[in-house]
Amino acid sequence: MSELPSFEERRRPTLQRNELQRNDLLAMQALAPLSPTYLPWSESAMRPSGVVAVLNEVFVNRRRCVVELGSGVSTFYLGRLLRQRGGHLWTVEHDRRWAELIGRELADEGLADVVTVVHAPLTPVQSPWPHEEATWYDQSVLKGMTAGQPVDLLVVDGPPAYRAETAHARYPAGPFFAALLAEEHAVVLDDIDRPGEQDIMARWERELGVTFDRRLTSGRIGIGRPGPAFTV
């Protein structure tokens, strides 16, 4: 007979959830200087504490060539910080209407010269995981996207991967960008509380030679860098 979980084990999910909520509240205060307008923060958006962690990566490690997979709230915060610090963001979106909306809003805010919105529909790809619907961004659209500039920060928050059939939909980002990453770089993966993203991190650690700092109570993101983990 298996042992019943201890009291501490039963409490752990609640404690993690409470800490995550506290960190999100603190993050909203940190984001205030970059929050001049309202943004539609939905359940699918990166959590505030995750956004702050990504912005810290840009600020502290001087990331200047940034690629983001999946556009949204984080796109605006990244664009605003890069406008101040220097650099450029390429944000990739599979949904044409959403890409056009993001592009218009960025232009209205004067960020069109800092952020390039790239519409790349999802197309079939091969997956290491059998019995899954394997689609990813059209690679012919992404080739040459950064005009040869090495990517020093890759933020992976798309494509959608919330269904069991698409649990590993974000994996192809690793093999595709492996040769395009700068020598000193970081790879951010969102939603690492899900089994699919945990599988992806484990494979990317082996295949990309990075070590992920897993932040389950601070944004639910993983930040992978070459060599041992280093927290920012």
Side-chain angles (χ1 to χ4, degrees):
M1 180 183 296
S2 60
E3 295 184 4
L4 293 174
S6 67
F7 177 68
E8 285 299 322
E9 289 172 330
R10 294 197 303 273
R11 288 182 67 228
R12 190 172 298 127
T14 300
L15 292 173
Q16 288 183 342
R17 185 167 58 251
N18 291 344
E19 186 175 352
L20 181 62
Q21 291 171 347
R22 285 195 298 271
N23 287 335
D24 280 342
L25 287 172
L26 291 172
M28 292 305 296
Q29 297 177 35
L31 291 170
L34 292 174
S35 304
T37 60
Y38 169 78
L39 293 174
W41 219 303
S42 67
E43 288 185 2
S44 61
M46 186 179 289
R47 300 188 72 99
S49 50
V51 173
V52 166
V54 173
L55 297 182
N56 287 350
E57 183 67 36
V58 170
F59 190 98
V60 174
N61 291 316
R62 299 184 61 82
R63 307 304 185 188
R64 297 296 178 262
C65 182
V66 182
V67 171
E68 174 190 50
L69 305 181
S71 306
V73 169
S74 55
T75 307
F76 289 85
Y77 283 108
L78 277 166
R80 291 165 183 169
L81 184 59
L82 289 170
R83 179 170 56 189
Q84 294 179 7
R85 308 293 297 177
H88 197 89
L89 168 65
W90 287 265
T91 183
V92 180
E93 176 57 44
H94 74 280
D95 186 304
R96 180 180 293 278
R97 291 182 61 187
W98 185 245
E100 291 173 349
L101 173 62
I102 293 290
R104 288 196 302 270
E105 294 298 322
L106 289 167
D108 288 346
E109 198 171 310
L111 290 171
D113 60 336
V114 180
V115 183
T116 300
V117 180
V118 180
H119 172 239
L122 299 181
T123 59
V125 294
Q126 211 168 22
S127 171
W129 287 272
H131 314 302
E132 287 194 12
E133 297 175 12
T135 59
W136 198 65
Y137 303 104
D138 187 343
Q139 297 183 26
S140 66
V141 176
L142 304 188
K143 287 178 180 176
M145 178 175 62
T146 64
Q149 296 183 60
V151 177
D152 54 23
L153 177 58
L154 174 64
V155 181
V156 183
D157 193 19
Y162 54 85
R163 295 186 296 120
E165 301 81 23
T166 59
H168 302 97
R170 297 174 178 177
Y171 166 76
F176 180 84
F177 283 100
L180 305 176
L181 295 171
E183 184 176 352
E184 294 294 330
H185 65 268
V187 178
V188 175
L189 180 64
D190 195 19
D191 303 307
I192 66 164
D193 54 318
R194 302 188 303 208
E197 274 71 14
Q198 292 169 18
D199 291 342
I200 291 169
M201 280 193 298
R203 286 191 74 112
W204 283 357
E205 284 186 322
R206 297 194 303 269
E207 296 171 357
L208 303 181
V210 298
T211 302
F212 273 95
D213 175 16
R214 292 159 169 81
R215 304 185 180 193
L216 287 169
T217 60
S218 183
R220 289 179 176 165
I221 64 170
I223 303 181
R225 304 184 189 87
F230 173 72
T231 301
V232 174

